[in-house]
Amino acid sequence: MHPTEIIELMIVGGIIVSILIIALFLKGRWRKTGWFLALVIFIAYCIFFLARPFWIDAQIDKKVQLLRPYLEEHYPDEEWTISTVPHREDGFKHRNPYYIGVVFKSEPDVTYDYWVESKDNIYQISFLTNKRLEELEHLE
């Protein structure tokens, strides 16, 4: 589990436990309302926790679809490979899943990371290589 997930779990757990403790001091209908509220929060968090990876995957797919025309427009004679962070696998949780890596065929030892906000807001935010800065062909 990633540290942010543990923090989220602790916060939601604290809220639920607090509501349950307060509900213990209440009588009748208010006690049942407190238990029901705690149950609703617990179910909502479970749904959020289970649905979030699918939501991230959908957002990444949408951003990759926006990046392809951008690359075709800026590098028409170039071939490339697009890669994304496998955010569901262990060992990759620390990386931002929204960074999209591009490796150009003419520069196979350089990975350029792109950040896609919308069709008109696509930025090259970083690169990974052992080359010197002057040797990079696709640096924006």
Side-chain angles (χ1 to χ4, degrees):
M1 225 180 212
H2 193 267
T4 55
E5 293 171 349
I6 293 171
I7 292 170
E8 288 172 0
L9 185 61
M10 288 172 45
I11 290 171
V12 172
I15 291 170
I16 291 172
V17 168
S18 299
I19 291 172
L20 290 174
I21 289 172
I22 291 170
L24 286 175
F25 294 108
L26 300 174
K27 301 277 186 207
R29 188 173 64 109
W30 289 106
R31 180 179 288 182
K32 288 182 184 177
T33 303
W35 290 347
F36 180 72
L37 179 63
L39 181 65
V40 167
I41 291 172
F42 177 73
I43 291 172
Y45 181 70
C46 288
I47 291 170
F48 169 75
F49 193 74
L50 293 174
R52 182 174 23 183
F54 298 106
W55 173 258
I56 291 172
D57 287 342
Q59 293 299 310
I60 291 170
D61 290 341
K62 186 169 82 171
K63 290 174 185 290
V64 167
Q65 296 305 321
L66 291 172
L67 180 61
R68 282 195 175 108
Y70 173 85
L71 293 172
E72 289 170 358
E73 178 183 329
H74 285 80
Y75 306 106
D77 299 330
E78 196 62 60
E79 291 183 34
W80 58 81
T81 304
I82 295 176
S83 62
T84 58
V85 176
H87 64 95
R88 293 182 188 208
E89 296 178 14
D90 290 336
F92 292 96
K93 294 249 181 198
H94 67 284
R95 296 200 52 211
N96 189 334
Y98 295 106
Y99 288 178
I100 302 170
V102 176
V103 177
F104 292 95
K105 189 174 183 180
S106 64
E107 274 186 305
D109 54 344
V110 182
T111 302
Y112 295 96
D113 285 332
Y114 284 85
W115 181 262
V116 179
E117 292 178 5
S118 67
K119 182 180 177 183
D120 299 324
N121 295 327
I122 298 175
Y123 308 103
Q124 187 183 90
I125 55 172
S126 67
F127 57 89
L128 178 65
T129 185
N130 290 331
K131 287 184 172 184
R132 292 184 307 145
L133 192 61
E134 299 83 29
E135 297 174 358
L136 298 177
E137 296 175 23
H138 302 92
L139 186 65
E140 293 179 9

